[in-house]
């Protein structure tokens, strides 16, 4: 096995490192620390953050890529690497990945969704629903054993989920006990009464709900296709979990392009004024006048032509699709920085007229020092609020772009590609509904959690809300 770091992997882990460094530095700023304490004390905010962290964990596991080493065909031959690229999540979900069926099957089904002509033991051909190769294959007498097997797996799953929740609760209680130097019983009561800063009760309640859902899903997934299979027989639960990484990358890496442009140009326009302000306003006014979908479509098509004409740049198909995903993040960032830039320009116009900024200018303090010391720190709450609120919009934008065929590469699994693949099946009779429902449910949970968390962050950081 040889580790492989894709461009998006490096950027994602680099962005996570920057967030951790910023969080560590925020401890030395009392206003910022106080704002985050208000976020931690909010039950709804901590519940949403817990869900987002679970999604982030899945995305990080899917960002640890590797290539398998092939066995040499002859002794002494050079080591060759597989062209297939896998991730740590693929390794954990290997049964779901390799257990593919012939075509569609309903959630928790043991037979295919469509009838086929099957020749019986007596030589007579009949139209019936064939058994799945993997879903429910362990049942010797499926009609008689199905209900009992489902009940047993559900019971085992609830027991596993409850046990995991007890372990997490114990770890949380021990952490509070060590941090506050109190007894175990006092720490447990403080958690469930939501006292002492962070609202751990909301965290444990959400983790309990996730464990009680995830435990049965894990138990059922070892013998069945919990969310069914798609047209080519792939497990829909596996595809849904793989789509999380794409959504997270679109929602986070786009900020690497949006943030520098919006902050630099917005602050320059607001503080310097004059012809600089006129030029920057002209640039973002022109960009806003161009339909963003057309701009993104034209840019993506040009990038795709560049990728197709230089196949030697990429050793694997995963690197090729990763290049298009990264290009899509850059293109979306180039077309979405204007709103934040306009917001920062207006706030900077107000800040530069305040007394302490005027006093610094009167004492001859350099423009660079004034911007770094007096202007930018007072804009960071707006930047944070805007980025958190834009995350959900970017996730939805990827789904729309992939739906119309100008999003991620066809080999990249995403919510948009799942919805696009399922749209034609909604008109058939009987309707294939489970792929769309699975993608919609996970995307709804991700976007709803991001929106709820952004509301709490806005309330905590916006001075007008205090």
């Amino acid at each position: 096995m040889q580790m492989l770091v894709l461009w998006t992997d490096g950027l994602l882990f680099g962005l996570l490192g920057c967030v951790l460094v910023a969080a560590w530095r925020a401890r030395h700023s009392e206003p910022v620390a106080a704002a985050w304490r208000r976020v931690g004390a909010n039950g709804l905010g901590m519940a949403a953050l817990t869900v987002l962290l679970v999604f982030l964990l899945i995305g990080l596991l899917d960002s640890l890529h590797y290539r398998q080493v092939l066995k040499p065909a002859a002794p002494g031959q050079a080591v060759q690497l597989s062209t297939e690229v896998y991730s740590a999540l693929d390794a954990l979900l290997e049964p779901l990945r390799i257990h593919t069926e012939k075509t569609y099957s309903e959630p928790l089904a043991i037979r295919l969704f469509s009838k086929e002509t099957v020749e019986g033991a007596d030589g007579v051909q009949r139209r019936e629903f064939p058994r799945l190769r993997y879903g429910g294959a362990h049942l010797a007498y499926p009609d008689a054993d199905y209900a009992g097997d489902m009940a047993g797996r559900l019971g085992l799953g609830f027991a596993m989920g409850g046990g995991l929740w007890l372990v997490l609760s114990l770890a949380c209680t021990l952490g509070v006990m060590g941090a506050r130097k109190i007894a175990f019983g006092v720490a447990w009561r403080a958690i469930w009464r939501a006292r002492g800063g962070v609202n751990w009760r909301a965290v444990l309640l959400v983790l309990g709900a996730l464990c009680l859902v995830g435990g049965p899903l894990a138990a059922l997934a070892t013998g069945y296709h919990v969310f069914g299979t798609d047209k080519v027989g792939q497990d829909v639960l596996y595809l849904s979990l793989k789509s999380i990484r794409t959504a997270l990358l679109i929602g986070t890496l786009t900020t690497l392009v949006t943030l520098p442009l919006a902050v630099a140009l917005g602050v320059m326009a607001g503080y310097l004024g004059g012809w600089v302000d006129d030029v920057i306003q002209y640039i973002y006014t022109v960009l806003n006048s161009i339909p963003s979908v057309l701009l993104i479509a034209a840019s993506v098509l040009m990038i795709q032509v560049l990728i197709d004409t230089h196949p030697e740049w990429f050793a694997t198909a995963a690197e090729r699709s990763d290049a298009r995903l990264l290009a899509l993040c850059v293109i979306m960032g180039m077309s979405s920085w204007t709103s934040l830039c306009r917001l920062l320009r207006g706030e900077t116009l107000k800040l530069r007229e305040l007394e302490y900024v005027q006093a610094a200018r009167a004492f001859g303090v350099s423009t660079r020092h004034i911007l770094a010391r007096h202007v930018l720190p007072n804009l960071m709450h707006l930047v944070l609020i805007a980025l958190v609120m834009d995350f959900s919009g970017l996730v939805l934008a990827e789904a729309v772009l992939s739906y119309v065929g100008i999003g991620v590469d066809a080999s990249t699994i995403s919510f948009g590609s799942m919805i696009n693949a399922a749209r034609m099946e909604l008109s058939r009779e009987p309707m294939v509904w489970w792929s769309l429902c699975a993608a919609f449910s996970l995307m709804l949970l991700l976007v709803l959690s991001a929106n709820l968390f952004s509301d709490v962050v806005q309330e905590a950081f916006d001075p007008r809300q205090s």
Side-chain angles (χ1 to χ4, degrees), residues 4 8 58 88 150 167 169 275 282 381 427:
L4 175 66
T8 53
I58 297 174
M150 291 288 294
V167 172
S169 300
W275 66 269
Y282 178 78
H381 70 284
S427 59

Side-chain angles (χ1 to χ4, degrees), residues 32-251:
V32 176
W36 280 116
R37 283 195 293 269
R38 289 194 292 271
V39 174
N42 189 292
L44 184 61
M46 292 304 297
L49 180 60
T50 303
V51 176
L52 290 177
L53 290 178
V54 172
F55 277 107
L56 178 61
L57 177 61
I58 297 174
L60 292 178
L61 288 175
D62 202 17
S63 297
L64 298 173
H65 289 99
Y66 64 91
R67 296 172 64 183
Q68 293 179 338
V69 179
L70 301 178
K71 294 182 179 180
Q77 189 177 12
V79 176
Q80 298 291 330
L81 296 176
S82 171
T83 57
E84 295 290 332
V85 177
Y86 301 103
S87 67
L89 185 65
D90 290 325
L92 291 174
L93 303 178
E94 184 174 5
L96 301 182
R97 177 174 59 85
I98 63 177
H99 291 171
T100 58
E101 306 293 346
K102 186 176 181 180
T103 183
Y104 291 114
S105 65
E106 290 184 292
L108 299 174
I110 58 176
R111 302 182 185 277
L112 285 177
F113 186 61
S114 302
K115 285 186 177 182
E116 293 184 356
T117 302
V118 180
E119 185 175 347
D122 54 359
V124 179
Q125 292 185 343
R126 301 180 180 86
R127 294 283 295 175
E128 61 182 35
F129 298 99
R131 284 285 304 273
L132 297 178
R133 286 181 291 182
Y134 299 103
H138 60 284
L139 300 177
Y141 303 97
D143 295 332
D145 299 341
Y146 181 77
D149 185 66
M150 291 288 294
R153 289 177 181 271
L154 286 174
L156 177 62
F158 282 122
M160 292 169 51
L164 178 59
W165 182 80
L166 289 177
V167 172
L168 295 175
S169 300
L170 178 62
C172 180
T173 306
L174 293 176
V176 173
M177 189 176 132
R180 299 175 58 183
K181 308 299 182 183
I182 54 179
F184 183 86
V186 178
W188 180 254
R189 287 192 296 271
I191 288 175
W192 285 105
R193 294 174 182 174
R195 295 177 180 176
V198 178
N199 195 325
W200 291 110
R201 180 179 63 183
V203 174
L204 291 179
L205 288 176
V206 172
L207 288 177
L210 293 176
C211 288
L212 291 179
V213 173
L217 284 179
L220 291 171
T222 58
Y224 301 91
H225 300 288
V226 180
F227 290 166
T229 57
D230 63 0
K231 187 175 183 179
V232 296
Q234 289 184 296
D235 191 277
V236 174
L237 175 60
Y238 169 75
L239 297 177
S240 301
L241 294 176
K242 290 284 289 183
S243 301
I244 293 175
R245 175 181 181 268
T246 305
L248 292 177
L249 289 176
I250 294 292

Side-chain angles (χ1 to χ4, degrees), residues 236-383:
V236 174
L237 175 60
Y238 169 75
L239 297 177
S240 301
L241 294 176
K242 290 284 289 183
S243 301
I244 293 175
R245 175 181 181 268
T246 305
L248 292 177
L249 289 176
I250 294 292
T252 55
L253 295 189
T254 306
T255 62
L256 294 179
V257 180
T258 301
L259 191 59
L261 284 173
V263 174
L265 296 181
V267 171
M268 288 172 58
Y271 187 81
L272 299 178
W275 66 269
V276 176
D277 187 19
D278 295 337
V279 170
I280 294 175
Q281 284 191 74
Y282 178 78
I283 292 174
Y284 67 63
T285 301
V286 171
L287 280 177
N288 281 335
S289 65
I290 303 174
S292 58
V293 175
L294 296 180
L295 181 62
I296 294 174
S299 303
V300 167
L301 292 177
M302 288 190 294
I303 293 296
Q304 188 61 45
V305 170
L306 179 64
I307 293 175
D308 291 339
T309 53
H310 295 85
E312 69 278 2
W313 291 355
F314 312 103
T316 62
E319 293 175 319
R320 174 191 173 97
S321 60
D322 184 73
R324 173 159 173 170
L325 177 59
L326 180 59
L328 180 62
C329 294
V330 173
I331 293 167
M332 293 180 66
M334 293 291 293
S335 61
S336 61
W337 59 271
T338 55
S339 58
L340 180 58
C341 178
R342 184 185 292 110
L343 177 64
L344 295 180
R345 172 187 173 272
E347 189 70 14
T348 305
L349 286 172
K350 182 180 71 174
L351 290 175
R352 74 175 186 179
E353 302 300 329
L354 296 180
E355 294 180 355
Y356 61 89
V357 176
Q358 295 288 345
R361 296 173 66 179
F363 279 106
V365 179
S366 65
T367 300
R368 183 178 62 181
H369 187 80
I370 292 175
L371 294 178
R373 185 68 180 270
H374 301 296
V375 177
L376 283 176
N378 291 291
L379 296 176
M380 284 301 102
H381 70 284
L382 293 177
V383 174

